[in-house]
Amino acid sequence: MDALGRHFERLRARRWTLYFFGVADSQPRGLAASWCWDSFADVVIVRDATAASAFRAVLLPDTDLLNPQMVCWQFHGDPVTAIDTLLALPEPGSPGAPVRASAAGPRCSVPLGWPRPQILPPEDESAGDRS
């Protein structure tokens, strides 16, 4: 398993919700993962082996986690660094946690033309550890 596969296994073990765009057991067109806090959601969207976006979305009514209106932090780069950087963010409400909301950048969404995702929710949604 490559580094990106190991990172997604880590997210799965930590009870993140996973999204597979295409067939999950073959080569999906893209991947995403999310973790929801009370008022925020941490999200990573992987476009390919070299391009990903990670962001902390502000949860407004009817927020689409994979196409948010507002974010308080965003990073665009390679998938492994995007996931590591997102996981290193302090929890919302903690010292150093990003709070200033701004409009989400164009890469903070699933590309047009991707199929509807297959969603793999956490096995036990009553417990979890984001980090």
Side-chain angles (χ1 to χ4, degrees), residues 12-30:
R12 178 73 179 146
R14 293 171 180 185
R15 296 182 173 86
W16 283 54
T17 299
L18 304 184
Y19 306 82
F20 297 91
F21 296 87
V23 181
D25 58 352
S26 68
Q27 184 65 28
R29 187 158 184 191

Side-chain angles (χ1 to χ4, degrees), residues 43-121:
V43 180
V44 62
I45 298 171
V46 178
R47 289 168 180 74
D48 60 39
T50 63
S53 296
F55 51 90
R56 181 164 285 169
V58 178
L59 294 180
L60 303 169
D62 299 321
T63 294
D64 178 348
L65 297 180
L66 302 176
N67 186 20
Q69 298 170 0
M70 305 292 290
V71 298
C72 60
W73 176 89
Q74 57 187 306
F75 173 89
H76 309 285
D78 72 89
V80 170
T81 303
I83 293 169
D84 287 342
T85 305
L86 180 61
L87 290 175
L89 284 180
E91 292 184 18
S94 298
V99 294
R100 178 179 248 173
S102 62
R107 292 184 287 174
C108 292
S109 65
V110 171
L112 291 174
W114 276 16
R116 291 183 64 105
Q118 291 182 310
I119 301 172
L120 185 60

